[in-house]
């Protein structure tokens, strides 16, 4: 399908990421300001939820914050651990874009949503973000009763770099005999730091996210080239994907990493993990958020919510 007509003029005005970032703090400020402006123009307002609170969580050599959203209904509820995108170097849960997404997910899937402000590279390279993600999972498991949540219905999700962390977290929880994860919802996931997917070259330029930016993020996130084949950095390269949670994977047609999602769904299926893949036609990396102006973005949102609701329904209700 052709690129969605709304995106054609937008791509012509979108700022480009520099080949190198000299001032990471300034880059993040500019990126967050741009995201806020887009949210005002292109995102539908968030639905109401019962509450939102921020939790500070001590982690190794520091602390992270979690935003916890409760739906406006009585529990116990499923709980959804969400990891934002930003190339492992940017993005934040303290943004309107992520607030809206989390409230949509809490209200639309009737679940508690815990958004994780993991630490970023280059100050905190791999595997710090994954360690922070695992600490957040442990916090959820240890606070199930206080949250009013169900221990048998912890799901994870994320977009782009956040989807990478969600997939890696499922591997780590399996390998370390950690808390059970019931389902994973991966959106525009980046899953292979060797960049072996053909779409890296096919969609290298012209669609917002570029091959050059992917290489920049890899240089800043990974301490060494050898880490590119570490399965916690590149879940697609894991030798064994068995015994992982069921997955629904959504990728954008005009995205350099679209093939990562399709390949991961195939790998999961081969290892007998229930997995479905959905190609979002006409979309670019990140355009799923544009719910005010794109009917297909609203359909994308509903598909993700339906995947979560279906995962919840597969578990028998608590007595």
């Amino acid at each position: 399908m052709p690129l969605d007509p709304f995106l054609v003029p937008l791509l012509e005005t979108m700022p480009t990421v520099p080949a190198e970032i000299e001032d990471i703090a300034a880059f993040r400020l500019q990126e967050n300001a741009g995201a806020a402006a887009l949210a005002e123009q292109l995102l539908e307002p968030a639905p109401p939820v019962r509450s939102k609170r921020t939790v500070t969580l001590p982690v190794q050599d520091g602390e992270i914050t979690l935003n916890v959203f409760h739906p406006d209904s009585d529990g116990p509820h499923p709980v959804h651990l969400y990891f934002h995108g930003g190339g492992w170097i940017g993005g934040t849960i303290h943004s309107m874009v992520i607030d809206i997404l989390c409230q949509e997910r809490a209200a639309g899937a009737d679940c508690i949503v815990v958004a994780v402000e993991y630490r970023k590279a280059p100050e905190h390279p791999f595997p710090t973000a994954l360690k922070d993600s695992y600490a957040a999972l442990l916090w959820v498991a240890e606070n199930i009763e206080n949250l009013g949540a169900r221990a048998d219905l912890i799901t994870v999700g994320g977009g782009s770099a956040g989807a990478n962390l969600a997939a890696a977290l499922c591997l780590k929880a399996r390998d370390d005999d950690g808390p059970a994860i019931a389902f994973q919802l991966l959106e525009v996931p980046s899953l292979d730091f060797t960049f072996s997917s053909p779409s890296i070259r096919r969609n290298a330029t012209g669609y917002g996210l570029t091959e050059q930016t992917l290489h920049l993020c890899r240089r800043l996130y990974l301490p060494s080239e050898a880490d590119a084949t570490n399965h916690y950095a590149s879940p697609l390269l894991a030798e064994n994907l068995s015994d992982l949670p069921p997955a629904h994977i959504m990728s954008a047609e005009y995205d350099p990493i679209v093939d990562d999602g399709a390949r991961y769904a195939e790998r999961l299926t081969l290892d007998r993990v229930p997995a479905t893949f959905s190609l979002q036609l006409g979309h670019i990396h990140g355009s799923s958020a544009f719910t005010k102006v794109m009917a297909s973005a609203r359909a994308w949102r509903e598909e993700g919510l339906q995947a979560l609701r279906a995962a919840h329904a597969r578990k028998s209700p608590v007595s």
Side-chain angles (χ1 to χ4, degrees):
M1 164 176 185
L3 189 67
D4 189 287
F6 173 79
L7 298 173
V8 176
L10 182 68
L11 282 168
E12 294 176 355
T13 62
M14 286 179 66
T16 58
V17 176
E20 298 294 339
I21 299 174
E22 296 182 2
D23 186 336
I24 192 70
F27 168 80
R28 289 173 183 148
L29 285 173
Q30 183 178 23
E31 179 192 55
N32 292 341
L38 281 177
E40 290 283 358
Q41 299 172 35
L42 305 180
L43 275 64
E44 288 187 334
V49 294
R50 179 168 294 180
S51 65
K52 172 193 172 183
R53 64 188 175 99
T54 299
V55 175
T56 300
L57 177 62
V59 294
Q60 184 179 355
D61 300 322
E63 62 182 28
I64 60 173
T65 55
L66 314 172
N67 279 345
V68 183
F69 302 80
H70 280 261
D72 195 13
S73 62
D74 295 329
H77 292 101
V79 58
H80 182 65
L81 202 56
Y82 183 78
F83 303 95
H84 68 82
W88 304 270
I89 62 174
T92 176
I93 62 171
H94 307 298
S95 74
M96 185 184 300
V97 174
I98 301 303
D99 258 12
I100 290 172
L101 183 148
C102 290
Q103 290 182 226
E104 288 174 343
R105 208 151 278 191
D110 195 31
C111 62
I112 299 163
V113 178
V114 178
V116 183
E117 184 74 351
Y118 54 88
R119 289 171 291 177
K120 313 296 190 300
E123 304 96 319
H124 303 284
F126 172 81
T128 301
L130 177 57
K131 290 181 177 179
D132 290 350
S133 302
Y134 193 69
L137 174 64
L138 293 177
W139 180 86
V140 166
E142 292 163 0
N143 288 274
I144 283 291
E145 291 188 11
N146 291 336
L147 286 168
R150 289 179 53 177
D152 65 329
L153 264 177
I154 299 173
T155 68
V156 299
S160 191
N164 169 284
L165 292 172
L169 180 61
C170 291
L171 284 166
K172 183 171 175 59
R174 179 200 67 181
D175 296 345
D176 292 359
D177 197 23
I181 298 172
F183 180 72
Q184 50 183 323
L185 175 59
L186 310 180
E187 298 174 90
V188 293
S190 175
L191 300 167
D192 178 6
F193 270 114
T194 67
F195 298 150
S196 59
S197 286
S199 57
I200 299 284
R201 266 72 57 191
R202 186 173 72 244
N203 297 332
T205 61
Y207 301 112
L209 178 63
T210 66
E211 182 179 9
Q212 176 179 278
T213 299
L214 291 171
H215 282 271
L216 169 67
C217 292
R218 180 172 67 179
R219 289 196 302 274
L220 294 177
Y221 181 54
L222 299 182
S224 72
E225 292 185 8
D227 289 315
T229 58
N230 185 314
H231 66 280
Y232 290 138
S234 298
L236 188 52
L237 304 184
E239 291 185 9
N240 176 17
L241 298 179
S242 62
D243 301 317
L244 290 177
H248 184 59
I249 303 170
M250 306 172 72
S251 292
E253 182 179 14
Y254 294 97
D255 187 345
I257 52 176
V258 57
D259 290 350
D260 281 19
R263 292 170 61 206
Y264 200 56
E266 292 175 1
R267 283 286 324 280
L268 288 167
T269 301
L270 286 172
D271 282 352
R272 302 183 182 278
V273 175
T276 49
F277 174 76
S278 176
L279 178 63
Q280 302 297 305
L281 300 176
H283 274 274
I284 62 172
H285 192 89
S287 57
S288 62
F290 302 162
T291 50
K292 186 184 288 187
V293 293
M294 293 177 66
S296 59
R298 296 191 290 275
W300 182 321
R301 175 181 62 195
E302 180 56 30
E303 182 176 322
L305 292 173
Q306 178 55 37
L308 283 175
R309 291 193 294 261
H312 300 161
R314 284 193 289 270
K315 293 281 188 179
S316 58
V318 294
S319 56

